Amino acid sequence: MVVHFSLAGYIFINILIGIDPGPRRPFYPLRLVLLLPSMVFHTFFGLGLVSSTALMATPYYARLQCAPDPLADQQIEGALAWGSGELPVLALAVIIALKWVRTELNREDRQRQRNQRETLRLGSPPGGAGG
């Protein structure tokens, strides 16, 4: 399971923000939308554990006998699962937004350079029609 989740996570992150060669990446708004199911899953899972009033795996906890209050332990684990799932997703959203802004700025810069080259090629003076 660890190998499976690690590989799936690597592929998911590579699609969102990776620099490694791979398939064509989705456009930036879709990348942000792709994060939503992950965020929703972590939220519901963590909140479900935090707000639970019964143990999820009673036989398992009964065999462990390591926590004085298994229910409190489960609720703490739910809070950790919730937080450890949300923070990386938030960081990914910020990284995607920054890459999106940088891409747009680069695109505008390339368009401006293209317009300047075209203006010079046609022989117009830089900065307007002149006269």
Side-chain angles (χ1 to χ4, degrees):
M1 290 298 290
V2 170
V3 171
H4 167 77
F5 280 116
S6 297
L7 187 59
Y10 171 78
I11 292 170
F12 182 64
I13 299 302
N14 188 38
I15 288 171
L16 295 178
I17 62 170
I19 58 172
D20 294 338
R24 184 179 162 108
R25 289 174 174 79
F27 56 99
Y28 285 100
L30 182 58
R31 293 182 197 189
L32 289 172
V33 169
L34 287 173
L35 285 175
L36 288 177
S38 173
M39 185 177 281
V40 169
F41 172 77
H42 288 113
T43 300
F44 281 114
F45 176 71
L47 284 177
L49 288 177
V50 167
S51 63
S52 64
T53 56
L55 284 174
M56 270 183 63
T58 304
Y60 175 74
Y61 276 109
R63 279 184 296 173
L64 284 181
Q65 298 177 354
C66 63
D69 185 4
L71 182 59
D73 193 42
Q74 176 178 298
Q75 292 169 341
I76 291 170
E77 291 165 0
L80 290 172
W82 181 22
S84 66
E86 298 301 321
L87 293 176
V89 172
L90 179 63
L92 280 172
V94 169
I95 291 169
I96 290 170
L98 290 174
K99 288 182 76 145
W100 187 2
V101 168
R102 188 176 62 194
T103 300
E104 288 300 317
L105 290 174
N106 287 342
R107 182 177 296 143
E108 290 173 4
D109 191 42
R110 285 192 308 268
Q111 180 65 37
R112 190 173 23 263
Q113 289 174 357
R114 215 177 358 258
N115 290 342
Q116 287 174 350
R117 282 194 305 269
E118 185 65 22
T119 302
L120 291 174
R121 187 181 68 81
L122 294 175
S124 301

